[in-house]
Amino acid sequence: MLTLPHTRILNKGTKLPVLLLAVYTVLGILQLQHYFSWESTFFLLCVIAMGVVLKVDKSRPGSMRCGWIALFFLLLSWQIPVLTFRYATLITTLFFVTEFFFGRLQTLTFITAALIAPAINFVVNVFSFPIRLWLTGVAGNILAGINPQVTTTGNMILLGSNEFSVDPACMGLQMMLTSLLCGVMLIALYQRRYQKVLPLTGIVVVLVAISALNIIANLFRIILLVQFALPPETMAHDAMGIATLLIYVILPLLPGIKWMLQRYGKVNSAYNGVQPPPLYGWLLHAVLAAGIIGGHFFMTPRSTASGEMDQQVKHLSGYSYAVLDGHIVKQTKTNALLYVKGIPGFYFTDHQPMICWKGSGFGFYKIQEATIQGAKVYTAELKKENSTLYTAWWYESRTRRSSSQLEWRWDALCSGNNYYLVNITVEDKSLLEPEIRALLHTHLIQ
């Protein structure tokens, strides 16, 4: 029987795919060493989840779909130097090698690869902030109906002398990705058990249900933590979080996924056709290998125009002025500290105060959205041991201001305007609003 040379290589097996997988994995570890929290429990869960969902249909090798996606992300990562696109390039290239030489991967593999990206964790934590405030209000109203002594201020629930912040009390929302990973693992396990495959629409329904269950679980968690006065960083506090996650999320998933699979699952029959891999697939492999391996050794990452962004920030009278790394301008005076942090594009992560100040050991309390001079801003108290600071932040361009992540990113995408995170902090609470008004009147971005 006459076969093409590249087909015989696939049929006989070769060390090439194993070598490519090894090289790309090593490059991924080197290039993404500051992207993942390699020593965290969540990263271990990610590895376990990928191992559970990884399944190759060996009857269908030669697929090109991941190759074109990898090429797209490779070109994109050269133009937009962010680690998320580099991760997307490497993971889709690994998938391309797997599908081209060994067989097709199931849909759950791609979903898991997306969920474990740190950018998704950032999106969940930042964009779920309005949900956390909403949960505080709902939980506070429910608790006030039970106990009139309960009051709610911003993200704080007050019961007598006890204060409960939505951030530590709502750590379960930060377990959203953990719940979703558990969900895809359960789907994969049930698919193997019943030898059926849940279609993409069914998987999406399950993931949406998990998100809703997670919100409900956190509502009950906050209520129980406040009602039984369980302070953060205690065993009882953590046990309550795990219990609500198991009861309100995991347990309903067990019969729910089983029913979905039995009702809508399809038998995954083996592919009997013979489809030799296209010759241009080898060319695509060569292009990707040259771009990823050669780029790692010979290309220097493009940097954004830091100086241009810094020059757009007005130097305020009475403030000292210093330009820091990462498009950050620091201005200080006796009773105020101002950070203006440039964001190179709508796709970049920003220097969220709730992340940066926590990194300095401060806790966030009484977070509220306020309207001052027609502009919406967030205000909060920062506490660290015996020190209390008062802070406010918003996003600003030459023409617009916003406190909404979606709003400023959409405007930056459509208009091309550079946006900046403005963060003013004072020691005296009475000075915060006058400083905010002065900054809003000044128009910081030129």
Side-chain angles (χ1 to χ4, degrees):
M1 180 178 180
L2 180 63
T3 57
L4 296 173
H6 66 285
T7 306
R8 290 199 297 269
I9 291 176
L10 289 181
N11 292 336
K12 293 180 179 180
T14 177
K15 295 180 180 179
L16 177 61
V18 176
L19 178 62
L20 287 174
L21 290 174
V23 170
Y24 292 144
T25 301
V26 171
L27 288 179
I29 294 173
L30 293 175
Q31 295 183 10
L32 303 174
Q33 56 183 314
H34 301 301
Y35 188 57
F36 287 100
S37 300
W38 301 92
E39 299 179 355
S40 66
T41 305
F42 180 73
F43 182 77
L44 177 60
L45 177 65
C46 294
V47 174
I48 294 173
M50 185 58 75
V52 171
V53 304
L54 191 62
K55 184 181 179 182
V56 179
D57 182 359
K58 296 181 180 180
S59 67
R60 304 178 67 184
S63 174
M64 295 287 298
R65 56 179 182 173
C66 290
W68 300 120
I69 299 173
L71 181 61
F72 168 77
F73 280 119
L74 176 64
L75 298 174
L76 194 62
S77 65
W78 288 350
Q79 296 299 316
I80 305 175
V82 294
L83 289 175
T84 297
F85 293 142
R86 194 174 301 174
Y87 163 73
T89 302
L90 288 163
I91 195 70
T92 50
T93 302
L94 287 171
F95 290 162
F96 177 41
V97 173
T98 303
E99 290 202 325
F100 189 83
F101 289 101
F102 302 110
R104 281 214 169 203
L105 297 167
Q106 63 176 342
T107 305
L108 289 175
T109 308
F110 303 103
I111 294 175
T112 304
L115 290 176
I116 67 180
I120 302 299
N121 185 47
F122 173 83
V123 169
V124 170
N125 286 336
V126 171
F127 286 88
S128 66
F129 177 66
I131 299 177
R132 295 200 291 270
L133 288 181
W134 173 78
L135 277 177
T136 306
V138 174
N141 291 334
I142 294 174
L143 288 165
I146 302 173
N147 187 346
Q149 295 182 351
V150 174
T151 57
T152 304
T153 303
N155 72 323
M156 297 287 297
I157 297 178
L158 309 176
L159 176 57
S161 59
N162 296 320
E163 295 182 349
F164 295 88
S165 169
V166 70
D167 278 331
C170 203
M171 285 298 290
L173 271 178
Q174 298 181 15
M175 294 180 68
M176 178 73 78
L177 292 178
T178 301
S179 303
L180 293 172
L181 286 175
C182 290
V184 296
M185 284 191 287
L186 286 173
I187 294 173
L189 292 173
Y190 274 117
Q191 285 185 162
R192 291 178 185 175
R193 179 177 179 180
Y194 294 103
Q195 294 298 305
K196 288 185 176 182
V197 176
L198 197 63
L200 179 59
T201 52
I203 296 174
V204 171
V205 169
V206 172
L207 296 182
V208 170
I210 291 173
S211 302
L213 289 172
N214 208 294
I215 294 174
I216 294 171
N218 277 280
L219 175 61
F220 282 101
R221 185 185 189 211
I222 296 172
I223 293 172
L224 293 172
L225 289 175
V226 176
Q227 186 65 26
F228 293 103
L230 302 178
E233 300 181 0
T234 62
M235 186 176 295
H237 183 100
D238 295 337
M240 183 65 74
I242 295 172
T244 52
L245 184 67
L246 290 174
I247 294 172
Y248 295 104
V249 180
I250 303 300
L251 287 182
L253 283 180
L254 296 176
I257 293 176
K258 179 180 177 181
W259 179 83
M260 285 282 294
L261 199 59
Q262 291 178 333
R263 178 68 176 82
Y264 299 103
K266 299 178 181 178
V267 177
N268 192 18
S269 57
Y271 180 73
N272 297 321
V274 178
Q275 183 180 1
L279 284 170
Y280 58 80
W282 296 92
L283 177 60
L284 185 53
H285 273 293
V287 171
L288 290 172
I292 295 173
I293 300 173
H296 176 75
F297 292 102
F298 301 111
M299 291 190 63
T300 56
R302 292 180 54 192
S303 59
T304 52
S306 177
E308 181 182 345
M309 292 196 70
D310 299 339
Q311 292 172 8
Q312 294 179 0
V313 179
K314 184 180 295 184
H315 185 175
L316 300 178
S317 176
Y319 282 81
S320 64
Y321 188 97
V323 178
L324 309 179
D325 293 335
H327 316 291
I328 300 175
V329 173
K330 178 182 178 182
Q331 303 192 52
T332 59
K333 64 179 183 178
T334 304
N335 52 11
L337 170 63
L338 173 65
Y339 284 108
V340 184
K341 306 176 182 183
I343 308 170
F346 72 94
Y347 46 83
F348 271 80
T349 57
D350 55 354
H351 299 272
Q352 263 284 324
M354 288 183 290
I355 297 174
C356 297
W357 281 106
K358 283 183 178 180
S360 300
F362 284 90
F364 263 74
Y365 301 90
K366 298 183 181 179
I367 304 174
Q368 301 182 71
E369 188 178 44
T371 302
I372 300 176
Q373 291 186 188
K376 290 186 177 181
V377 303
Y378 279 114
T379 63
E381 291 184 7
L382 302 171
K383 294 184 179 181
K384 179 181 179 181
E385 298 176 350
N386 296 325
S387 175
T388 301
L389 302 176
Y390 304 90
T391 191
W393 69 95
W394 62 92
Y395 300 93
E396 184 169 340
S397 69
R398 284 189 179 125
T399 58
R400 298 187 65 175
R401 298 186 182 96
S402 176
S403 62
S404 167
Q405 287 273 350
L406 283 175
E407 185 177 330
W408 81 256
R409 290 182 187 276
W410 178 253
D411 182 63
L413 172 63
C414 296
S415 66
N417 289 332
N418 288 328
Y419 268 82
Y420 297 75
L421 173 67
V422 181
N423 180 206
I424 179 70
T425 304
V426 297
E427 294 183 351
D428 186 347
K429 185 177 181 179
S430 64
L431 296 176
L432 184 60
E433 185 169 335
E435 288 291 338
I436 296 172
R437 291 182 178 276
L439 290 173
L440 294 175
H441 179 73
T442 300
H443 296 286
L444 272 173
I445 312 305
Q446 310 181 91

